[in-house]
């Protein structure tokens, strides 16, 4: 059975928390740019191997929040000894709207879906990911581990 995001973070498999940063995205014209800026700031020199994957994951999570809810409210970036956790909060309350098993294909075999590839990309790059309810909506969290860190 795969390790869950919560298990990776809460059971200390990622090691000690080194950096925690919340950045408000609500109302920004370019929330992805703000996310990239904070990722460069917190991952540069600490988890550089994850930087480009983290930027792509954050961009996809923010795009999903914009497309499928009222927009991204906040990005949470946490850097641990053995990886990083990225969380994008939106005001959408329905966590069941996020598919448990993302796919890049449509219902018809041999065709590619017009949408839905964002979570497929997140699933491909992240060691684990999950969606959880929050006080204001939901947060989609993705874990990126360093090569020496835990694997799913």
């Amino acid at each position: 059975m795969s390790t869950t995001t919560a298990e990776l973070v809460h059971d200390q498999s990622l090691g000690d928390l080194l950096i925690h940063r919340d950045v408000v995205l609500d109302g920004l014209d370019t929330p992805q740019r703000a996310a990239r800026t904070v990722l460069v700031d917190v991952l540069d020199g600490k988890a550089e191997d994850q930087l480009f994957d983290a930027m792509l994951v954050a961009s996809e999570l923010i795009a999903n929040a914009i497309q499928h809810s009222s927009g991204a409210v906040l990005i949470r970036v946490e850097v641990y000894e053995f990886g990083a956790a990225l969380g994008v909060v939106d005001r959408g309350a329905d966590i069941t709207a996020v598919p448990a098993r993302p796919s890049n294909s449509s219902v018809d075999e041999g065709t590619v879906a017009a949408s839905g590839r964002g979570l497929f990309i997140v699933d491909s790059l992240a060691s684990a990911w999950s969606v959880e309810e929050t006080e204001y909506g939901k947060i989609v969290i993705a874990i990126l581990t360093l090569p020496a860190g835990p694997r799913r």
Side-chain angles (χ1 to χ4, degrees), residues 30-116:
T30 56
Q32 284 96 336
R33 181 179 297 160
R36 285 191 300 272
T37 300
V38 71
L39 288 168
V40 167
D41 184 46
V42 300
L43 295 178
D44 190 36
K46 297 160 197 75
E48 291 175 355
D49 293 345
Q50 296 171 311
L51 183 56
F52 294 111
D53 287 353
M55 286 181 179
L56 183 54
V57 166
S59 181
E60 292 298 335
L61 293 178
I62 292 167
N64 282 348
I66 291 167
Q67 183 176 0
H68 301 292
S69 76
S70 62
V73 175
L74 177 134
I75 184 167
R76 171 167 292 155
V77 180
E78 295 178 339
V79 179
Y80 295 85
E81 290 176 293
F82 306 116
L86 310 175
V88 173
V89 177
D90 66 46
R91 288 190 187 90
D94 184 8
I95 65 170
T96 63
V98 180
R101 295 231 181 259
S103 174
N104 71 343
S105 63
S106 69
V107 176
D108 299 322
E109 287 187 35
T111 63
V112 177
S115 68

